Amino acid sequence: DQWKNSREAGQCFALSWRSELSESGNQLLIEAAKVARLRSVAPFSNFRVGAALQTAAGKVFTGCNVESASYGLTVCAERVAIWKALSEGERDFTDLVVVADTEALTPPCGTCRQIIWEFAKHATIVLANLRGQREEVHILDLLPRAFDARFLKDAARETDRR
């Protein structure tokens, strides 16, 4: 089973036989996100989310949400998948799938939108649920006026001029 030990350090799997997200590749990523969702640690909300992030090389990193009794320390599935990939040296992401068990498709939270913008802005984002619904969205639609390093560089230049 290709996703069985995906929570072990450095574990991922590859869909290297394809370079663009086809319908079958899309379904494989959705299934990977569904499996990751089952690993969610959500004892307070019971809101389980899974994510699957694919690199340009075809590697797939999964993530699930992990809740803390101190709610502010809770981490979403999207960020877990991105952190796993980044910690393994990956930087070029093509696709991100987010799956939740909701009637309406659930978009990433504001914090996740920011992280997606910074680290996976060129990825195709697919929202899906357990009822078979799916929708492709773009980060510019989710976060139209994103904050990023451009603003920090502008602030540094202003400080240097003084």
Side-chain angles (χ1 to χ4, degrees):
D1 184 44
Q2 60 187 350
W3 355 97
K4 183 177 178 186
N5 294 316
S6 67
R7 291 186 70 185
E8 294 177 15
Q11 293 295 312
C12 67
F13 62 94
L15 297 177
S16 57
W17 49 269
R18 54 173 264 341
S19 61
E20 293 183 12
L21 191 61
S22 64
E23 188 62 31
S24 62
N26 186 313
Q27 191 57 42
L28 285 172
L29 286 177
I30 290 171
E31 292 305 317
K34 285 180 180 180
V35 170
R37 183 191 155 276
L38 296 174
R39 296 186 186 116
S40 292
V41 181
F44 307 107
S45 70
N46 290 315
F47 184 67
R48 299 179 184 281
V49 181
L53 176 69
Q54 183 166 342
T55 69
K59 292 180 184 176
V60 175
F61 293 85
T62 60
C64 63
N65 57 314
V66 179
E67 292 181 350
S68 169
S70 176
Y71 290 131
L73 300 178
T74 293
V75 182
C76 300
E78 301 93 308
R79 284 183 280 150
V80 170
I82 291 170
W83 297 154
K84 284 171 66 174
L86 291 171
S87 72
E88 295 298 320
E90 298 295 337
R91 299 293 185 269
D92 190 10
F93 307 111
T94 59
D95 305 286
L96 173 65
V97 171
V98 182
V99 173
D101 185 14
T102 55
E103 287 203 30
L105 296 173
T106 304
C109 74
T111 301
C112 286
R113 292 174 193 210
Q114 178 67 34
I115 296 305
I116 293 166
W117 173 260
E118 289 188 46
F119 297 104
K121 73 175 72 163
H122 300 294
T124 298
I125 302 166
V126 174
L127 309 177
N129 64 19
L130 300 184
R131 292 159 181 78
Q133 295 173 303
R134 67 181 78 178
E135 178 185 358
E136 185 177 308
V137 296
H138 299 280
I139 192 60
L140 284 173
D141 295 325
L142 295 173
L143 192 64
R145 294 184 59 150
F147 177 86
D148 60 24
R150 295 173 298 175
F151 299 101
L152 299 174
K153 289 176 186 174
D154 289 347
R157 275 190 230 114
E158 286 298 318
T159 302
D160 290 344
R161 289 183 196 155
R162 292 182 190 165

